[in-house]
Structure formats: C-alpha cells, structure tokens
Amino acid sequence: METHDMEMLWEQMGFIRWPISFAALMIAALSLYSTAQVYKPGAWANLKTKVFIDGVLFWGGFAVVAGLLGSVLGVIISFQSIEQAGAVSPTIMAGGIKVATLSSAAGLVILAVASLIWFTLQFRWRMLQAKEAQEN
C-alpha cells in the first residue's frame, strides 16, 4: 500500500481512530517498560511489573471493543445515509460498509500483536517466578 492509501484509510476510520491509536500507544509503552523490567540483569518477578504486563492485554482488548464500536456506528451512519438518499447502488453501499469495518480490522490487528507481546512477557515473568521459588 502506498502512503496515500494509508492516509485515506486513516481518515476513513473517523473519530474512532483516536481511541484505537491511544490503545496502540499504551501497548507500546507498557511493552517497552515491561520488557526492560523482565529482561534486565538481576530481574525478579515483582507484582508491579505483572500489572504492567497484564495492561498490555487489557489495552489490546480495548482496541477491539473500540473497533467494534466504530464498525457499528459506521454501519448505522451508512444506513442513515442510504435511507435519506433513497435508492442507492449496491457498490456505494458496499463501500460504506467496507469503511465501517476498517476500525474492527485495526482493533483485531492490535489485539493480535498485544496478545503475542503479552504471552512473551507473561512467560518470562513466570520463568522468573519459578526461578525464585526454586532458589527459596
């Protein structure tokens, strides 16, 4: 995809792009912090880090919910436009529904990435926890 296409998709997502983007930024920030905590020398399984790791999965779920909300609102807006215009070609209707589903797709992609990050960090945290239990 070209940059112009990406910009067009970004604009077509409407207002819901902001909560989805915020969720992606929170996932990035929590992932970076948690990665630094569990992979630093002398790392141990502290509960504060576990809360940050779980936050990654929370914000991934939030992105999906925001995406679904954007899709539902987009479909409602499309149907309202169709209702006002009267007879509309199926091509125009399909284009409106395509735009409405963009936010769901974005939310699902963010959740997929967040889930992989969460699993990796959670695994590392549990390994640190097991190591501590073995040493005691």
PDB file of all heavy atoms in Angstrom, residues 57-79:
ATOM      1  N   LEU A  57      -2.451  -6.689  27.596  1.00  0.00           N
ATOM      2  CA  LEU A  57      -3.607  -7.440  27.113  1.00  0.00           C
ATOM      3  C   LEU A  57      -4.896  -6.638  27.266  1.00  0.00           C
ATOM      4  O   LEU A  57      -5.774  -6.673  26.401  1.00  0.00           O
ATOM      5  CB  LEU A  57      -3.719  -8.772  27.857  1.00  0.00           C
ATOM      6  CG  LEU A  57      -4.623  -9.813  27.236  1.00  0.00           C
ATOM      7  CD1 LEU A  57      -4.195 -10.144  25.815  1.00  0.00           C
ATOM      8  CD2 LEU A  57      -4.640 -11.064  28.090  1.00  0.00           C
ATOM      9  N   PHE A  58      -5.028  -5.888  28.363  1.00  0.00           N
ATOM     10  CA  PHE A  58      -6.210  -5.044  28.554  1.00  0.00           C
ATOM     11  C   PHE A  58      -6.373  -4.063  27.404  1.00  0.00           C
ATOM     12  O   PHE A  58      -7.461  -3.925  26.836  1.00  0.00           O
ATOM     13  CB  PHE A  58      -6.131  -4.277  29.875  1.00  0.00           C
ATOM     14  CG  PHE A  58      -7.166  -3.185  29.950  1.00  0.00           C
ATOM     15  CD1 PHE A  58      -8.475  -3.482  30.287  1.00  0.00           C
ATOM     16  CD2 PHE A  58      -6.844  -1.875  29.633  1.00  0.00           C
ATOM     17  CE1 PHE A  58      -9.439  -2.482  30.324  1.00  0.00           C
ATOM     18  CE2 PHE A  58      -7.795  -0.867  29.665  1.00  0.00           C
ATOM     19  CZ  PHE A  58      -9.105  -1.167  30.016  1.00  0.00           C
ATOM     20  N   TRP A  59      -5.294  -3.347  27.066  1.00  0.00           N
ATOM     21  CA  TRP A  59      -5.394  -2.341  26.007  1.00  0.00           C
ATOM     22  C   TRP A  59      -5.621  -2.976  24.640  1.00  0.00           C
ATOM     23  O   TRP A  59      -6.242  -2.371  23.765  1.00  0.00           O
ATOM     24  CB  TRP A  59      -4.179  -1.416  26.011  1.00  0.00           C
ATOM     25  CG  TRP A  59      -4.270  -0.443  27.154  1.00  0.00           C
ATOM     26  CD1 TRP A  59      -3.538  -0.466  28.301  1.00  0.00           C
ATOM     27  CD2 TRP A  59      -5.181   0.653  27.271  1.00  0.00           C
ATOM     28  NE1 TRP A  59      -3.933   0.559  29.120  1.00  0.00           N
ATOM     29  CE2 TRP A  59      -4.941   1.260  28.518  1.00  0.00           C
ATOM     30  CE3 TRP A  59      -6.169   1.174  26.456  1.00  0.00           C
ATOM     31  CZ2 TRP A  59      -5.657   2.378  28.958  1.00  0.00           C
ATOM     32  CZ3 TRP A  59      -6.883   2.283  26.892  1.00  0.00           C
ATOM     33  CH2 TRP A  59      -6.626   2.866  28.123  1.00  0.00           C
ATOM     34  N   GLY A  60      -5.152  -4.211  24.441  1.00  0.00           N
ATOM     35  CA  GLY A  60      -5.470  -4.926  23.212  1.00  0.00           C
ATOM     36  C   GLY A  60      -6.960  -5.211  23.118  1.00  0.00           C
ATOM     37  O   GLY A  60      -7.583  -5.014  22.068  1.00  0.00           O
ATOM     38  N   GLY A  61      -7.551  -5.638  24.222  1.00  0.00           N
ATOM     39  CA  GLY A  61      -8.995  -5.865  24.265  1.00  0.00           C
ATOM     40  C   GLY A  61      -9.775  -4.581  24.070  1.00  0.00           C
ATOM     41  O   GLY A  61     -10.806  -4.552  23.390  1.00  0.00           O
ATOM     42  N   PHE A  62      -9.272  -3.504  24.651  1.00  0.00           N
ATOM     43  CA  PHE A  62      -9.917  -2.200  24.477  1.00  0.00           C
ATOM     44  C   PHE A  62      -9.917  -1.788  23.008  1.00  0.00           C
ATOM     45  O   PHE A  62     -10.915  -1.250  22.513  1.00  0.00           O
ATOM     46  CB  PHE A  62      -9.206  -1.134  25.319  1.00  0.00           C
ATOM     47  CG  PHE A  62      -9.762   0.243  25.136  1.00  0.00           C
ATOM     48  CD1 PHE A  62     -10.881   0.653  25.850  1.00  0.00           C
ATOM     49  CD2 PHE A  62      -9.186   1.129  24.235  1.00  0.00           C
ATOM     50  CE1 PHE A  62     -11.408   1.916  25.674  1.00  0.00           C
ATOM     51  CE2 PHE A  62      -9.708   2.398  24.058  1.00  0.00           C
ATOM     52  CZ  PHE A  62     -10.824   2.793  24.774  1.00  0.00           C
ATOM     53  N   ALA A  63      -8.824  -2.054  22.304  1.00  0.00           N
ATOM     54  CA  ALA A  63      -8.743  -1.706  20.884  1.00  0.00           C
ATOM     55  C   ALA A  63      -9.807  -2.447  20.081  1.00  0.00           C
ATOM     56  O   ALA A  63     -10.428  -1.871  19.178  1.00  0.00           O
ATOM     57  CB  ALA A  63      -7.349  -2.014  20.331  1.00  0.00           C
ATOM     58  N   VAL A  64     -10.043  -3.720  20.410  1.00  0.00           N
ATOM     59  CA  VAL A  64     -11.072  -4.490  19.708  1.00  0.00           C
ATOM     60  C   VAL A  64     -12.455  -3.920  19.993  1.00  0.00           C
ATOM     61  O   VAL A  64     -13.270  -3.741  19.082  1.00  0.00           O
ATOM     62  CB  VAL A  64     -11.023  -5.982  20.100  1.00  0.00           C
ATOM     63  CG1 VAL A  64     -12.226  -6.730  19.574  1.00  0.00           C
ATOM     64  CG2 VAL A  64      -9.757  -6.605  19.572  1.00  0.00           C
ATOM     65  N   VAL A  65     -12.728  -3.624  21.255  1.00  0.00           N
ATOM     66  CA  VAL A  65     -14.039  -3.070  21.616  1.00  0.00           C
ATOM     67  C   VAL A  65     -14.257  -1.725  20.930  1.00  0.00           C
ATOM     68  O   VAL A  65     -15.333  -1.460  20.381  1.00  0.00           O
ATOM     69  CB  VAL A  65     -14.176  -2.953  23.150  1.00  0.00           C
ATOM     70  CG1 VAL A  65     -15.425  -2.185  23.533  1.00  0.00           C
ATOM     71  CG2 VAL A  65     -14.196  -4.335  23.778  1.00  0.00           C
ATOM     72  N   ALA A  66     -13.234  -0.879  20.924  1.00  0.00           N
ATOM     73  CA  ALA A  66     -13.347   0.413  20.239  1.00  0.00           C
ATOM     74  C   ALA A  66     -13.558   0.200  18.743  1.00  0.00           C
ATOM     75  O   ALA A  66     -14.360   0.906  18.112  1.00  0.00           O
ATOM     76  CB  ALA A  66     -12.093   1.259  20.490  1.00  0.00           C
ATOM     77  N   GLY A  67     -12.860  -0.767  18.158  1.00  0.00           N
ATOM     78  CA  GLY A  67     -13.024  -1.068  16.741  1.00  0.00           C
ATOM     79  C   GLY A  67     -14.423  -1.550  16.417  1.00  0.00           C
ATOM     80  O   GLY A  67     -15.025  -1.140  15.416  1.00  0.00           O
ATOM     81  N   LEU A  68     -14.965  -2.404  17.267  1.00  0.00           N
ATOM     82  CA  LEU A  68     -16.338  -2.883  17.046  1.00  0.00           C
ATOM     83  C   LEU A  68     -17.346  -1.749  17.185  1.00  0.00           C
ATOM     84  O   LEU A  68     -18.304  -1.656  16.412  1.00  0.00           O
ATOM     85  CB  LEU A  68     -16.667  -4.014  18.013  1.00  0.00           C
ATOM     86  CG  LEU A  68     -15.952  -5.326  17.741  1.00  0.00           C
ATOM     87  CD1 LEU A  68     -16.212  -6.321  18.869  1.00  0.00           C
ATOM     88  CD2 LEU A  68     -16.376  -5.902  16.415  1.00  0.00           C
ATOM     89  N   LEU A  69     -17.128  -0.887  18.162  1.00  0.00           N
ATOM     90  CA  LEU A  69     -17.995   0.278  18.308  1.00  0.00           C
ATOM     91  C   LEU A  69     -17.941   1.151  17.055  1.00  0.00           C
ATOM     92  O   LEU A  69     -18.974   1.605  16.550  1.00  0.00           O
ATOM     93  CB  LEU A  69     -17.593   1.100  19.536  1.00  0.00           C
ATOM     94  CG  LEU A  69     -18.376   2.401  19.751  1.00  0.00           C
ATOM     95  CD1 LEU A  69     -19.851   2.098  20.000  1.00  0.00           C
ATOM     96  CD2 LEU A  69     -17.773   3.189  20.888  1.00  0.00           C
ATOM     97  N   GLY A  70     -16.734   1.363  16.528  1.00  0.00           N
ATOM     98  CA  GLY A  70     -16.578   2.137  15.306  1.00  0.00           C
ATOM     99  C   GLY A  70     -17.289   1.500  14.133  1.00  0.00           C
ATOM    100  O   GLY A  70     -17.917   2.187  13.319  1.00  0.00           O
ATOM    101  N   SER A  71     -17.232   0.179  14.047  1.00  0.00           N
ATOM    102  CA  SER A  71     -17.920  -0.522  12.957  1.00  0.00           C
ATOM    103  C   SER A  71     -19.429  -0.386  13.070  1.00  0.00           C
ATOM    104  O   SER A  71     -20.116  -0.112  12.081  1.00  0.00           O
ATOM    105  CB  SER A  71     -17.545  -2.000  12.946  1.00  0.00           C
ATOM    106  OG  SER A  71     -16.213  -2.141  12.539  1.00  0.00           O
ATOM    107  N   VAL A  72     -19.949  -0.586  14.266  1.00  0.00           N
ATOM    108  CA  VAL A  72     -21.395  -0.478  14.462  1.00  0.00           C
ATOM    109  C   VAL A  72     -21.866   0.935  14.136  1.00  0.00           C
ATOM    110  O   VAL A  72     -22.857   1.121  13.419  1.00  0.00           O
ATOM    111  CB  VAL A  72     -21.783  -0.882  15.898  1.00  0.00           C
ATOM    112  CG1 VAL A  72     -23.226  -0.521  16.207  1.00  0.00           C
ATOM    113  CG2 VAL A  72     -21.542  -2.364  16.105  1.00  0.00           C
ATOM    114  N   LEU A  73     -21.153   1.932  14.640  1.00  0.00           N
ATOM    115  CA  LEU A  73     -21.531   3.318  14.338  1.00  0.00           C
ATOM    116  C   LEU A  73     -21.403   3.618  12.848  1.00  0.00           C
ATOM    117  O   LEU A  73     -22.243   4.320  12.276  1.00  0.00           O
ATOM    118  CB  LEU A  73     -20.683   4.290  15.153  1.00  0.00           C
ATOM    119  CG  LEU A  73     -20.927   4.275  16.666  1.00  0.00           C
ATOM    120  CD1 LEU A  73     -19.941   5.197  17.374  1.00  0.00           C
ATOM    121  CD2 LEU A  73     -22.357   4.652  16.989  1.00  0.00           C
ATOM    122  N   GLY A  74     -20.370   3.077  12.218  1.00  0.00           N
ATOM    123  CA  GLY A  74     -20.184   3.282  10.784  1.00  0.00           C
ATOM    124  C   GLY A  74     -21.307   2.687   9.962  1.00  0.00           C
ATOM    125  O   GLY A  74     -21.782   3.290   8.994  1.00  0.00           O
ATOM    126  N   VAL A  75     -21.764   1.494  10.350  1.00  0.00           N
ATOM    127  CA  VAL A  75     -22.876   0.857   9.638  1.00  0.00           C
ATOM    128  C   VAL A  75     -24.158   1.659   9.849  1.00  0.00           C
ATOM    129  O   VAL A  75     -24.936   1.866   8.910  1.00  0.00           O
ATOM    130  CB  VAL A  75     -23.042  -0.613  10.082  1.00  0.00           C
ATOM    131  CG1 VAL A  75     -24.343  -1.203   9.579  1.00  0.00           C
ATOM    132  CG2 VAL A  75     -21.860  -1.440   9.603  1.00  0.00           C
ATOM    133  N   ILE A  76     -24.387   2.128  11.062  1.00  0.00           N
ATOM    134  CA  ILE A  76     -25.571   2.937  11.335  1.00  0.00           C
ATOM    135  C   ILE A  76     -25.558   4.206  10.496  1.00  0.00           C
ATOM    136  O   ILE A  76     -26.564   4.569   9.873  1.00  0.00           O
ATOM    137  CB  ILE A  76     -25.660   3.278  12.844  1.00  0.00           C
ATOM    138  CG1 ILE A  76     -26.001   2.018  13.635  1.00  0.00           C
ATOM    139  CG2 ILE A  76     -26.693   4.375  13.094  1.00  0.00           C
ATOM    140  CD1 ILE A  76     -25.884   2.174  15.143  1.00  0.00           C
ATOM    141  N   ILE A  77     -24.404   4.869  10.440  1.00  0.00           N
ATOM    142  CA  ILE A  77     -24.283   6.091   9.632  1.00  0.00           C
ATOM    143  C   ILE A  77     -24.501   5.776   8.147  1.00  0.00           C
ATOM    144  O   ILE A  77     -25.180   6.525   7.437  1.00  0.00           O
ATOM    145  CB  ILE A  77     -22.920   6.769   9.877  1.00  0.00           C
ATOM    146  CG1 ILE A  77     -22.880   7.342  11.290  1.00  0.00           C
ATOM    147  CG2 ILE A  77     -22.647   7.848   8.840  1.00  0.00           C
ATOM    148  CD1 ILE A  77     -21.497   7.772  11.746  1.00  0.00           C
ATOM    149  N   SER A  78     -23.949   4.655   7.674  1.00  0.00           N
ATOM    150  CA  SER A  78     -24.152   4.262   6.269  1.00  0.00           C
ATOM    151  C   SER A  78     -25.627   4.033   5.975  1.00  0.00           C
ATOM    152  O   SER A  78     -26.152   4.495   4.959  1.00  0.00           O
ATOM    153  CB  SER A  78     -23.379   2.981   5.952  1.00  0.00           C
ATOM    154  OG  SER A  78     -22.012   3.204   5.971  1.00  0.00           O
ATOM    155  N   PHE A  79     -26.311   3.327   6.860  1.00  0.00           N
ATOM    156  CA  PHE A  79     -27.727   3.054   6.640  1.00  0.00           C
ATOM    157  C   PHE A  79     -28.571   4.325   6.718  1.00  0.00           C
ATOM    158  O   PHE A  79     -29.555   4.467   5.985  1.00  0.00           O
ATOM    159  CB  PHE A  79     -28.237   1.991   7.606  1.00  0.00           C
ATOM    160  CG  PHE A  79     -27.780   0.600   7.253  1.00  0.00           C
ATOM    161  CD1 PHE A  79     -27.591  -0.346   8.236  1.00  0.00           C
ATOM    162  CD2 PHE A  79     -27.541   0.225   5.937  1.00  0.00           C
ATOM    163  CE1 PHE A  79     -27.178  -1.636   7.927  1.00  0.00           C
ATOM    164  CE2 PHE A  79     -27.124  -1.052   5.610  1.00  0.00           C
ATOM    165  CZ  PHE A  79     -26.951  -1.992   6.611  1.00  0.00           C
TER     166      PHE A  79
END
